[in-house]
Amino acid sequence: MWWTKDGRSSRPFLTLGHIPVGMEAFQASDDTQWDYIKRRIDDSDYYVLIVAERYGSELKGKSYTQMEYEYTVAQGVPTVAFLLEGGARKTWAAEKVEFEKKAKLERFRKLYEKKLVKYWRNKDDLAGKVAMAIRRYDRGLSGGPPF
């Protein structure tokens, strides 16, 4: 789970007793960025993905976020994806949209949608859905992460 630079997105996780991993916490290292990310994923109990209207920084034509997701799935780490809902996408602030990467984002969203996803409309809706998913995971409902 990555969080915003001001840490707001991490508070619900900390309150629930979880420690989110984000780029802002990365230490100086001799590792490549990708190797470091893979190690953090390997040490994770689950992976929470939140997608709005940005594809993200790329390495060799693919976003780090997409590479993380694909690696997480390949490693068998439980994942949950929260995608911005269609109506909210239409009214999303233009400065928060990477228009030049729209086609890549759409392909990536389709990749996520091969699994069960939750859709969110605003930050309050998202916070509630993420907190519920984490609580259900902690309770071990449905034999594992009920994402």
Side-chain angles (χ1 to χ4, degrees):
M1 168 64 202
W2 309 110
W3 64 81
T4 60
K5 290 184 180 174
D6 65 7
R8 285 178 294 151
S9 298
S10 66
R11 286 190 196 119
F13 293 93
L14 296 170
T15 301
L16 292 168
H18 295 271
I19 301 171
V21 176
M23 288 177 52
E24 293 80 7
F26 286 7
Q27 303 297 316
S29 171
D30 194 35
D31 288 334
T32 67
Q33 183 174 346
W34 179 235
D35 286 338
Y36 189 83
I37 289 169
K38 289 190 296 185
R39 279 206 334 270
R40 297 290 63 88
I41 291 170
D42 291 340
D43 292 339
S44 298
D45 295 317
Y46 53 87
Y47 180 81
V48 177
L49 178 66
I50 299 170
V51 179
E53 290 297 300
R54 290 189 175 156
Y55 184 64
S57 299
E58 296 180 42
L59 177 66
K60 299 179 183 176
K62 190 180 283 190
S63 75
Y64 278 97
T65 305
Q66 182 169 345
M67 292 176 2
E68 291 164 8
Y69 178 76
E70 291 171 352
Y71 180 80
T72 301
V73 170
Q75 297 305 308
V77 175
T79 62
V80 59
F82 296 90
L83 306 181
L84 186 61
E85 184 265 335
R89 294 182 77 192
K90 294 175 185 170
T91 60
W92 202 246
E95 67 271 10
K96 295 180 179 181
V97 177
E98 287 182 317
F99 292 103
E100 69 282 1
K101 297 181 181 182
K102 198 77 165 162
K104 287 183 176 185
L105 178 64
E106 292 309 312
R107 286 191 300 273
F108 189 29
R109 286 178 62 96
K110 288 187 187 334
L111 174 65
Y112 297 144
E113 290 172 330
K114 290 180 180 179
K115 293 183 129 194
L116 292 175
V117 298
K118 292 283 185 182
Y119 295 93
W120 57 280
R121 294 180 306 280
N122 56 51
K123 66 181 181 178
D124 294 330
D125 183 41
L126 174 63
K129 288 177 177 175
V130 170
M132 180 67 71
I134 290 173
R135 282 194 296 268
R136 288 180 55 93
Y137 175 84
D138 287 346
R139 291 183 187 148
L141 299 177
S142 304
F147 306 129

